[in-house]
Amino acid sequence: MDTRFHRMANRPGVQRPNGAAQGKICQFKLVLLGESAVGKSSLVLRFVKGQFHEYQESTIGAAFLTQTVCLDDTTVKFEIWDTAGQERYHSLAPMYYRGAQAAIVVYDITNQDTFGRAKTWVKELQRQASPSIVIALAGNKADLANKRVVEKEEAQTYAEDNGLLFMETSAKTAVNVNDIFLAIAKKLPKSEQATGGAGTSGQGRRLVESEGSAQKGPGSSCCK
Amino acid sequence: MYSSKFPKPRIDQSDLKCKSGCGFFGNPEWAGYCSKCYREKQQRERSGKVGHKVRRPQGIEKKQVQAISGFTRFEEKKRSQSEKTTKIFKTLSFMKSPSSKDSSHSRSRVEELIRGVRPELERLRDESSKLLVSVGPNVEHELQRHAARFVAKAAQLADTEGRPIEEVAEEAQNYYINEMKRMDALSVYSEVSPEEKEALLDYAEKYVMTCLYQILFCPPSTTDEEKDLGLQNRIRSLNWVTTKHLDCRINETQSEICDLYTAITDILGMDSAKAPQDKLACVVGCCRTILELLARSQGGPASADDFLPALIFVVLKANPPRLKSNIHYVTRFCNSARLLSGEGGYYFTNLCCAVSFIENLTAESLSMSQDEFDQYTLGEVVPPSTWESTLMMCEAVHLLNEHLAALEDLSTRREKLDKTTEQLKDEMLRFGEEIAEEVTSIIEKTPLIIKPSRAPTQLDSEDPSTDQLPSPIVPQVIAPPVALDDVMQTMAESSNPAPWNPVSCFDFADQEDSLKLVNYDIELPGDNSPLSQCEDPSQLNIAEEDNPLLLGDMTGSILDESESPTTGDLLPSPLKPTAPTSLPSTGGITPLGWNIPSIPCETGEVGTCMSYSQSSSSPIKGPVASAWSANSGTVTQMPLLHTSINIGMSSGSAYMTSMIHPQVGLQSGPSSSWSRPPDLPLVETHRPDIDLDYGRRTKKENEEGVNKEPPDLLSDTPPPSLPPPATSSRSQVEETLVRALGGVLTTFDSLI
């Protein structure tokens, strides 16, 4: 937390008044974390293809997608970065969530292991990601309630303890899919929305720096 | 060394902190310091050892250099040499141009840099020419000026010994931000739209980076080159890795894998691009190809779970040259906004992840035992891989596809040719038909009719249709002059019941007696009058014989059929009325009648002539008709009040012409023909019952006469009595007629 302000103070000229003329358009980077096959991409595809607006980009892949959500007086543009969920690529995750303003950690309610992995992700995010990052926990595949392994109360309690947004979603039936994104949009820092892209850019600038450092020692920044 | 640690994501917070203990996060690249502390340390070192060889940060970097081994010594040597060269060059240049001429030096340096990349800059200018034109020359000049200033500054900074490349990077980022601020602030840019500003920023970035590429890409002050070589070797040693090892769902035996070549080509193209954006574009292109491939083989949008392994696989198979240098260059000098967000940022992050994964690849990350991994890496054992065969297969498939495409092309062309041939055939047929049609239509329009030689119309042939013919046009000017009325009156007063009846007047038949009865005949045989001379039958006969056509016609058509026994001797003379010398004085004859042109029979065309022979058996009934066509004489009544009466006289001894309708042109002759305009309807001319008005009246009178004396008409018997030519009016008429006849004969004579 201090790091950010310190670094920003170091570079007074880095704030880019991005899109200042366009008023309240906030762009947020949202990263999807979770074990593979918990339905991360299904969730985001449902959100992007769903009831909100038309496609922003051609959907050749669910790895990178954008979707715009309209709040009361603000247009929130989500830039959704999917991550590879396999264990072997776990160590690369910091490169993705670096600079993200929001994250959705997804687990499968029919698989206890995925919930365990989700807890790991949350811990990692809280420690390494931007302190102001909005983290949401999504128990996906809610339509398979009869195969439920992870109790909702358990997850709810965990989310409350860690200050996370929590919803049980179903990409298949679209239950809570839009809601969880909307909840995130609402919880995103007001100051950033108020200042338009400037705040975001300020953060972004900082991120470039850390990203640059990550390139020089790939993978080691988080593992050293 | 890291590899064993790497998969463990959970590390102590203290490991990440800055070595100096300032509380901020450190970075291995900066020797475990945070950026601020690292720079301070650098500055301290620099101020302490000016002029010395740049001190590379100790610690992690050194370790890396050791890890690479093999090439290290060579690289070290090379780098120190290059540094030495730079130093010498700088020293020299500083000697040449003292600090006071710094600006001129930097200017020449910029010029030198620009000269080196002139083709690229020109291409860039061409690409953005539209934008530059739209913003105007002022903006372009301003942009160019500022860009040149930055290039000079950056070049100087980069050339300055001991300055880490990060400072230049920082400078570049500041330049981008300042440029944007300037665009918002300066009045020059006031009319430039935000989109154009973005485009201008891009242009400026490309411009300066293309200029500076030479000195900023893989600078000797960094270990980029060593890392490049290290990574290249690493990838080479991992060439046995298959998609299965990476948990990648690409099936190596699928034909779609050919698309991987496209992706590989894209990623290889990254090294040849100069501007950071262009390099980024290569990455984006490569990633999109992979995503498309995945989407095709999986039947849906691919997620990152599939994408990242595929990208790693592509990087492993492509082994792009100077990959680390390229990544560093983009990271340092690409506008940070671009790397932070957007598709480009995401894919670039993925590429960094892929490189990071490859660098830190362990047996564990490939889900195999360490022994197996080592064996594979050292090349002692070759794992079952389909890649080589896939390569060959891909080549074959590629060829096959090319051939298929060629075949398809050929078949399309053949089809096209067939179609064209068909079209041509159709066209030719159509053309032939059209021509035939045209010819037919032209023939129809202008038919070639070989007309048969004209045969004379046989007037005396029987034509029953004439009965049904409509009545001829009634002449308008009819009212007989008062003189005529007088005549009629006189005639009515006479003892003759029908003094005007032509039957009685003209129907002399062939009886010589009848001639005697005519008391008002004009010429008499033996008479010495010129008229009689002219009418000399022998003369006329000769005249007729001179005209064989006429004669023949006559003999063929009229004379032969004529039942009259005197036909053979009939020598009619065409009498033409001559214009009266004293028309007004000619009592009952209207000038109109005289004005009607009469055509002499000789001139009449046989074909169009209407020869009309009235025989006793003629279907034309009515007293007038029979009367007017007395004997074999022919009456041709023309609708234009143009009537000629040819009277053939029997025995050729005497001619009798008398009491002709005043409006009728008189013509007598053996031809019995009347030449008439061909367009005049002949049929009408034969309707005696609708003759001239006057004729009709006479007809009425005649009818009475007919009723009284029907045998007269039919038996050709002479009228019982002829009206005596006693009245003065009659004598007047006679006089006129004589005069007319004289004229006609004169004409006739002259014609002969």
Side-chain angles (χ1 to χ4, degrees), chain B residues 186-463:
Chain B
L186 285 182
S187 58
V188 181
Y189 297 102
S190 58
E191 285 178 15
V192 182
S193 70
E195 289 79 23
E196 281 174 336
K197 279 180 187 171
E198 286 287 320
L200 280 174
L201 267 181
D202 265 12
Y203 172 72
E205 188 181 338
K206 274 187 188 174
Y207 181 85
V208 297
M209 281 306 139
T210 307
C211 289
L212 292 167
Y213 178 78
Q214 205 186 334
I215 51 171
L216 293 186
F217 183 81
C218 191
S221 64
T222 62
T223 56
D224 287 355
E225 202 170 353
E226 286 167 35
K227 287 175 188 168
D228 282 341
L229 282 167
L231 182 65
Q232 217 154 359
N233 288 329
R234 176 79 174 160
I235 290 172
R236 210 173 288 147
S237 72
L238 291 171
N239 67 346
W240 48 270
V241 174
T242 64
T243 49
K244 284 190 184 70
H245 291 129
L246 294 166
D247 207 0
C248 173
R249 277 198 242 169
I250 292 178
N251 189 348
E252 283 185 29
T253 55
Q254 271 181 329
S255 63
E256 282 99 351
I257 206 156
C258 287
D259 287 353
L260 277 184
Y261 283 115
T262 320
I264 287 169
T265 314
D266 283 337
I267 195 86
L268 288 176
M270 187 188 183
D271 188 51
S272 55
K274 281 192 173 169
Q277 296 107 303
D278 295 340
K279 288 185 188 289
L280 206 56
C282 291
V283 177
V284 171
C286 165
C287 292
R288 279 195 176 157
T289 314
I290 293 169
L291 278 171
E292 276 167 27
L293 164 69
L294 288 170
R296 240 195 335 274
S297 64
Q298 292 176 10
S303 69
D305 289 352
D306 305 315
F307 172 66
L308 184 62
L311 183 63
I312 292 169
F313 185 71
V314 165
V315 172
L316 277 177
K317 293 303 168 195
N319 197 357
R322 304 194 286 182
L323 184 57
K324 284 294 278 187
S325 295
N326 277 301
I327 289 175
H328 285 175
Y329 176 71
V330 172
T331 315
R332 286 167 189 152
F333 299 109
C334 191
N335 196 333
S336 60
R338 219 188 306 279
L339 289 182
L340 262 184
S341 58
E343 220 178 351
Y346 179 73
Y347 293 140
F348 187 72
T349 305
N350 270 295
L351 180 65
C352 296
C353 286
V355 170
S356 170
F357 180 80
I358 290 165
E359 282 178 329
N360 301 289
L361 193 85
T362 61
E364 197 185 334
S365 53
L366 291 180
S367 317
M368 57 172 65
S369 73
Q370 188 65 42
D371 282 353
E372 205 182 353
F373 179 81
D374 287 344
Q375 278 178 334
Y376 286 146
T377 313
L378 295 171
E380 287 166 4
V381 180
V382 178
S385 166
T386 54
W387 181 247
E388 293 302 318
S389 58
T390 306
L391 277 181
M392 288 171 73
M393 191 193 75
C394 276
E395 190 60 32
V397 167
H398 184 67
L399 264 176
L400 193 70
N401 281 337
E402 266 185 5
H403 291 164
L404 274 177
L407 277 175
E408 204 164 314
D409 182 46
L410 279 176
S411 117
T412 330
R413 278 159 71 177
R414 207 204 62 212
E415 271 169 30
K416 206 171 152 191
L417 188 70
D418 282 353
K419 224 161 101 185
T420 323
T421 314
E422 279 297 311
Q423 270 177 2
L424 186 66
K425 208 171 128 191
D426 287 352
E427 257 169 48
M428 282 168 73
L429 282 175
R430 214 163 40 238
F431 181 71
E433 279 166 20
E434 270 169 24
I435 291 294
E437 262 172 44
E438 218 164 290
V439 167
T440 316
S441 73
I442 287 170
I443 285 174
E444 271 167 17
K445 262 188 251 166
T446 56
L448 172 67
I449 295 172
I450 302 167
K451 292 180 182 171
S453 52
R454 287 170 182 174
T457 312
Q458 301 184 351
L459 285 176
D460 37 9
S461 65
E462 291 181 14
D463 188 2

Side-chain angles (χ1 to χ4, degrees), chain A residues 6 13 16 36 41 62 79 82 85-86 88-89 91 96 120 204 208-209 213 215-216 218-219 221-224, chain B residues 6 10-11 15-16 24 27 29 35-36 166 177 180 245-246 302 305 324 336-337 340-342 346 350 352 367:
Chain A
H6 160 67
R16 184 177 178 173
S36 61
S41 43
E79 204 173 74
D82 194 6
Q86 294 96 322
R88 70 184 61 178
Y89 303 118
S91 57
Y96 289 101
T120 317
V208 161
E209 184 197 335
S213 62
Q215 300 318 316
K216 284 152 205 152
S221 56
C222 58
C223 310
K224 176 85 193 290
Chain B
F6 188 69
R10 289 163 289 282
I11 37 175
D15 288 350
L16 298 166
F24 299 111
N27 191 311
E29 191 73 5
S35 63
K36 200 186 173 194
E166 280 71 32
I177 290 155
M180 195 162 60
H245 291 129
L246 294 166
D305 289 352
K324 284 294 278 187
S336 60
L340 262 184
S341 58
Y346 179 73
N350 270 295
C352 296
S367 317

